[in-house]
Amino acid sequence: MEISVSIKRYDPEEDDLPYWETYQLEVDQMDRVLDVLNKIKWHYDGSLTYRRSCAHGICGSDAMVINGRNALACKVLVEDVGSRIVIEPLKGLPVVKDLVVDMDPFFEAYRSVMPYLVNDEPVGHQERIQTPEERDRYEDTTKCILCAACTTSCPIFWSNGSYIGPAAIVNAHRFIFDSRDRAGDQRLAILAERDGVYRCRTAFECTEVCPRDIQITKAIEEIKREILLRRK
Ligand code: SF4
Ligand code: F3S
Ligand code: FES
């Protein structure tokens, strides 16, 4: 089938403003949007810039706005978006070039919640035992691939870039509810601050776009509740 693909292009070192470039090309309807981008780059315009790596929804590097919705280009089929495709970089993060955004602010928020197990107690000769029920408590939030689709779809993040954002909260949740971890109170104190969970207005955009189907808004609500419970 013949499709038209409009891509928002911008090279801050060359261009005064972003502009749209449209390509007409022949593709298979079962091609993924990432295949389309590769075809454009390899056969039409080698200067087009975007991130990709695994091509199988694992690495999280090719999140972008496809026909108005955040998604991984390697997980969206042409037949799902039709013959007129519009692609933009993720919103709310500075554009480095074309579809590549500066992820530093995103990872800074992620690092601020201590996304690693904290436990100084001696392990002895055994592992830190956990029951299946304890493991299930945070199963959903272990699935995050740090693609940034959630945070950059959140209207609160667009209007205030200092909001810690749903991805950081998801990764805090993963450790706060891990029975082996001992830094939950510290993480909850960070998330109770001005730019933490209380900025969330339950817009649900994050949950709608997560390519791993993580119940993000639910995780945020669980953290809000946990902050109140531990204050008692
Ligand atoms: Fe991506 Fe989902 Fe993780 Fe957000 S929670 S960074 S959308 S995988
Ligand atoms: Fe934003 Fe998700 Fe909350 S979109 S407002 S973080 S529910
Ligand atoms: Fe790795 Fe799409 S290229 S998730």
Side-chain angles (χ1 to χ4, degrees), residues 144-150 167 170 210-212 214 216:
C144 177
I145 55 172
L146 294 172
C147 68
C150 55
V170 160
C210 177
R212 306 286 292 170
I214 298 170
I216 303 176

Side-chain angles (χ1 to χ4, degrees), residues 25-27 34-44:
L25 63 160
E26 205 47 55
V27 299
L34 180 61
D35 300 317
V36 173
L37 289 171
N38 288 340
K39 196 165 188 181
I40 293 171
K41 185 169 179 69
W42 296 339
H43 302 287
Y44 293 78

Side-chain angles (χ1 to χ4, degrees), residues 7-11 15 17-23 40 45-49 87 89 95 97-99:
I7 302 176
K8 200 178 209 178
R9 307 281 312 260
Y10 182 47
D11 180 351
D15 309 318
L17 289 170
Y19 63 96
W20 291 95
E21 186 124 29
T22 300
Y23 305 86
I40 293 171
D45 185 348
S47 70
L48 178 65
T49 306
I87 305 176
V95 174
K97 186 167 187 262
D98 297 339
L99 302 174

Side-chain angles (χ1 to χ4, degrees), residues 165-201:
I169 300 172
V170 160
N171 284 278
H173 181 285
R174 183 256 171 269
F175 290 101
I176 288 167
F177 294 102
D178 185 331
S179 60
R180 302 163 301 174
D181 187 81
R182 297 292 175 265
D185 288 345
Q186 263 173 279
R187 292 191 195 89
L188 290 169
I190 293 164
L191 293 173
E193 284 172 8
R194 204 162 59 95
D195 293 320
V197 284
Y198 295 109
R199 285 238 183 254
C200 170
R201 293 288 180 271

Side-chain angles (χ1 to χ4, degrees), residues 13-232:
E13 290 182 5
E14 300 279 336
D15 309 318
D16 293 334
L17 289 170
Y19 63 96
W20 291 95
E21 186 124 29
T22 300
Y23 305 86
Q24 313 281 347
L25 63 160
E26 205 47 55
V27 299
D28 191 283
Q29 63 174 7
M30 294 308 285
D31 280 344
R32 301 158 309 168
V33 170
L34 180 61
D35 300 317
V36 173
L37 289 171
N38 288 340
K39 196 165 188 181
I40 293 171
K41 185 169 179 69
W42 296 339
H43 302 287
Y44 293 78
D45 185 348
S47 70
L48 178 65
T49 306
Y50 51 98
R51 286 194 182 101
R52 76 283 191 197
S53 181
C54 70
H56 290 285
I58 301 299
C59 73
S61 58
D62 61 342
M64 53 190 73
V65 187
I66 302 170
N67 285 5
R69 186 184 160 97
N70 283 11
L72 299 176
C74 65
K75 286 195 76 179
V76 177
L77 297 177
V78 169
E79 72 166 3
D80 293 335
V81 283
S83 59
R84 172 98 180 83
I85 305 175
V86 179
I87 305 176
E88 303 164 71
L90 294 175
K91 295 187 179 129
L93 294 170
V95 174
V96 176
K97 186 167 187 262
D98 297 339
L99 302 174
V100 173
V101 293
D102 179 1
M103 298 284 281
D104 283 356
F106 174 80
F107 283 114
E108 205 177 302
Y110 166 68
R111 280 192 295 270
S112 75
V113 300
M114 301 187 292
Y116 41 81
L117 191 89
V118 178
N119 189 334
D120 293 333
E121 296 159 12
V123 184
H125 296 296
Q126 294 182 327
E127 328 167 47
R128 298 188 197 280
I129 301 294
Q130 196 165 51
T131 65
E133 292 73 27
E134 286 171 334
R135 177 63 180 75
D136 278 350
R137 181 67 190 84
Y138 60 94
E139 165 61 21
D140 196 35
T141 46
T142 62
K143 298 185 299 189
C144 177
I145 55 172
L146 294 172
C147 68
C150 55
T151 297
T152 59
S153 71
C154 173
I156 305 298
F157 180 74
W158 294 341
S159 61
N160 181 349
S162 57
Y163 171 39
I164 199 162
I169 300 172
V170 160
N171 284 278
H173 181 285
R174 183 256 171 269
F175 290 101
I176 288 167
F177 294 102
D178 185 331
S179 60
R180 302 163 301 174
D181 187 81
R182 297 292 175 265
D185 288 345
Q186 263 173 279
R187 292 191 195 89
L188 290 169
I190 293 164
L191 293 173
E193 284 172 8
R194 204 162 59 95
D195 293 320
V197 284
Y198 295 109
R199 285 238 183 254
C200 170
R201 293 288 180 271
T202 51
F204 272 94
E205 288 297 326
C206 53
T207 305
E208 294 285 320
V209 300
C210 177
R212 306 286 292 170
D213 294 327
I214 298 170
Q215 296 301 303
I216 303 176
T217 313
K218 178 168 173 257
I220 295 172
E221 292 306 309
E222 285 178 358
I223 288 186
K224 287 180 182 171
R225 206 175 317 129
E226 195 68 14
I227 290 171
L228 294 177
L229 280 174
R230 294 203 196 181
R231 269 190 193 148
K232 282 181 185 165

